[in-house]
Amino acid sequence: MQFEIKLISNSKLDTINLASYIAKFLSKGSLILLTGDLGAGKTTFTQGIAKGLGINENVISPTFNILKCYFHDPINLYHIDAYRLKDQDHNIGLEEFIEGDGVCVIEWPIYIKELIQPNTYLKVNLELILGDKRKITISSNCLSYKNLFEELNKKYV
Amino acid sequence: MYSLLLDSSNTKLAVGIAKDDILLDKIYYDAWQRQSEFMIQEINNILNRNKILPSQINEIIVTDGPGSYTGVRISLTIAKVVGVLNENVKIYLLSSLEILKDKNNLSICLMNARSNRSYVGIYKDNEVILNDCVLENQNIEKLIDKYTNISICGETEYLGLKSCKYDIFNNMLDIKKHKDPVKDVLKIKAVYLKD
Ligand SMILES: Nc1ncnc2c1ncn2[C@@H]1O[C@H](COP(=O)(O)OP(=O)(O)O)[C@@H](O)[C@H]1O
Ligand SMILES: [Mg+2]
């Protein structure tokens, strides 16, 4: 990866604040892949992104509906949880949201990897350490995130 | 004879009403991924403001794809339900690409299929020159170059191409004249060329 930064989050609020900060660097068409175990904080991270985009609606896990849309001016948020798409037919139009007119966040992207174009995304891996502590690794091959990584380095390292 | 015209196959929500194949009124605006929220209400609005009762609708002219996965199914489902509940209502299925054509010219009709691909159909008058299909975006320009004087139609900004003007409502009425209504309404199914 061209850019990478490793951070520690000590609480749910830490994770939300980080995600909310990152949201300021996102624009229409931004794609964020969230990886990590169940309970690592992927949905929590998405709540932070929503907050950063100014969305007041409560973000809940779309595990059962696969996709939730938060229509909001000037930028929509599309939240996909692909967990249930493991070994399923993926022809359900998700590419319209992944390459859409908003920010798209995907939990469990591994299960729809043929819908994701290489080098188009910001990747966030969350790892459970102990208790509320999480190791968060943010990486990307997109030059458009250069500024984000510079600012994260200043702010957190 | 009243016709209801419906299309939600791409970014727009389109509802039209025609009497004896003459367009009376239309509703047409951007509603990408939100047509399901507004479509029924807009049908109701257009009927009310033209003082037409739902029971007066004799036919529904609707697109069956290709296009947005959910979008295509919204108009099509509405048409299908009406057709199943009332067998006197005729349903006409039209290509969502063909309705974008420039009526007076050879037309290449395009729609973003994502993943660097497009839905493409080529039409001239009421003839299909190229059946609706999915093509890699990199091949589109080559295809266009094969024809001299072809109109580019659709929301083609994603290809960096400028579209000509088109009138989907009058196109729908026009194309319908050359079509037969669906025989078995229960068999109506969206055209999803990616399968
Ligand atoms: N540092 C932290 N970052 C994120 N979530 C945390 C943290 N510490 C504790 N939590 C809790 O862990 C859970 C994470 O759940 P969730 O975000 O739904 O995970 P996932 O979507 O990855 O399965 C939440 O209950 C949250 O309150
Ligand atoms: Mg989750």
Side-chain angles (χ1 to χ4, degrees), chain B residues 48-75:
Chain B
N48 285 344
R49 75 189 190 198
N50 290 282
K51 303 200 166 42
I52 298 165
L53 297 169
S55 57
Q56 288 177 280
I57 301 289
N58 305 91
E59 55 183 42
I60 301 182
I61 308 171
V62 63
T63 51
D64 64 352
S68 160
Y69 187 90
T70 310
V72 167
R73 284 162 175 77
I74 291 161
S75 294

Side-chain angles (χ1 to χ4, degrees), chain A residues 1-5 7 18-27 29-35 45 49 98 103-107 109 116-126 136-150 152:
Chain A
M1 286 274 169
Q2 187 159 8
F3 304 112
E4 189 179 86
I5 185 169
L7 307 169
L18 170 67
S20 172
Y21 180 73
I22 290 173
K24 313 283 182 221
F25 295 83
L26 304 176
S27 54
S30 292
L31 176 60
I32 299 170
L33 307 187
L34 300 181
T35 56
F45 192 92
I49 289 181
I98 295 170
V103 168
C104 182
V105 177
I106 308 179
E107 299 185 37
I116 296 163
Q117 308 293 317
N119 304 331
T120 57
Y121 50 80
L122 184 74
K123 191 172 163 189
V124 179
N125 182 61
L126 297 114
I136 302 182
T137 308
I138 308 166
S139 58
S140 180
N141 275 330
C142 295
L143 218 51
S144 54
Y145 289 118
K146 188 167 186 273
N147 192 20
L148 166 66
F149 283 90
E150 282 171 4
L152 285 175

Side-chain angles (χ1 to χ4, degrees), chain B residues 110-154:
Chain B
L110 295 156
M111 213 188 273
N112 191 351
R114 304 297 188 297
S115 313
N116 298 313
R117 296 186 298 171
S118 293
Y119 297 116
V120 189
I122 301 182
Y123 294 91
K124 170 137 179 88
D125 302 320
N126 286 296
E127 231 184 295
V128 184
I129 308 293
L130 174 72
N131 272 320
D132 294 356
C133 60
V134 187
L135 291 179
E136 301 284 329
N137 288 346
Q138 60 191 33
N139 295 328
I140 302 288
E141 280 208 54
K142 275 182 241 154
L143 184 62
I144 293 171
D145 286 343
K146 283 212 284 189
Y147 301 90
T148 42
N149 188 24
I150 188 168
S151 296
I152 296 167
C153 305

Side-chain angles (χ1 to χ4, degrees), chain A residues 69 71 76 78 89 91-93 95-97 99-101 114-115 117, chain B residues 32-34 37 67-71 112-116 192 194-195:
Chain A
C69 298
F71 294 108
N76 301 334
Y78 307 119
D89 177 6
N91 269 331
I92 55 171
E95 62 275 21
E96 294 167 33
F97 300 90
E99 297 177 50
D101 66 340
E114 79 282 4
L115 299 180
Q117 308 293 317
Chain B
W32 194 77
Q33 302 295 357
R34 305 194 72 176
E37 289 173 53
S68 160
Y69 187 90
T70 310
N112 191 351
R114 304 297 188 297
S115 313
N116 298 313
Y192 189 64
K194 288 184 196 170
D195 287 333

Side-chain angles (χ1 to χ4, degrees), chain A residues 1-136:
Chain A
M1 286 274 169
Q2 187 159 8
F3 304 112
E4 189 179 86
I5 185 169
K6 288 183 168 32
L7 307 169
I8 296 293
S9 159
N10 287 303
S11 67
K12 180 178 178 176
L13 189 62
D14 264 5
T15 300
I16 289 183
N17 286 341
L18 170 67
S20 172
Y21 180 73
I22 290 173
K24 313 283 182 221
F25 295 83
L26 304 176
S27 54
K28 290 187 178 187
S30 292
L31 176 60
I32 299 170
L33 307 187
L34 300 181
T35 56
D37 279 342
L38 279 169
K42 299 181 294 299
T43 300
T44 305
F45 192 92
T46 311
Q47 286 168 354
I49 289 181
K51 189 173 164 220
L53 294 175
I55 295 164
N56 296 321
E57 225 178 306
N58 192 21
V59 170
I60 51 160
S61 173
T63 309
F64 293 100
N65 11 14
I66 297 161
L67 166 72
K68 271 215 66 160
C69 298
Y70 300 89
F71 294 108
H72 177 262
D73 264 334
I75 186 155
N76 301 334
L77 173 64
Y78 307 119
H79 185 192
I80 295 171
D81 186 334
Y83 192 73
R84 283 202 319 136
L85 292 176
K86 189 182 178 190
D87 304 324
Q88 299 291 313
D89 177 6
H90 299 163
N91 269 331
I92 55 171
L94 289 177
E95 62 275 21
E96 294 167 33
F97 300 90
I98 295 170
E99 297 177 50
D101 66 340
V103 168
C104 182
V105 177
I106 308 179
E107 299 185 37
W108 302 101
I110 178 104
Y111 297 132
I112 50 169
K113 54 176 185 292
E114 79 282 4
L115 299 180
I116 296 163
Q117 308 293 317
N119 304 331
T120 57
Y121 50 80
L122 184 74
K123 191 172 163 189
V124 179
N125 182 61
L126 297 114
E127 200 182 321
L128 280 150
I129 307 268
L130 200 67
D132 286 357
K133 203 166 170 178
R134 305 285 190 272
K135 184 162 114 187
I136 302 182

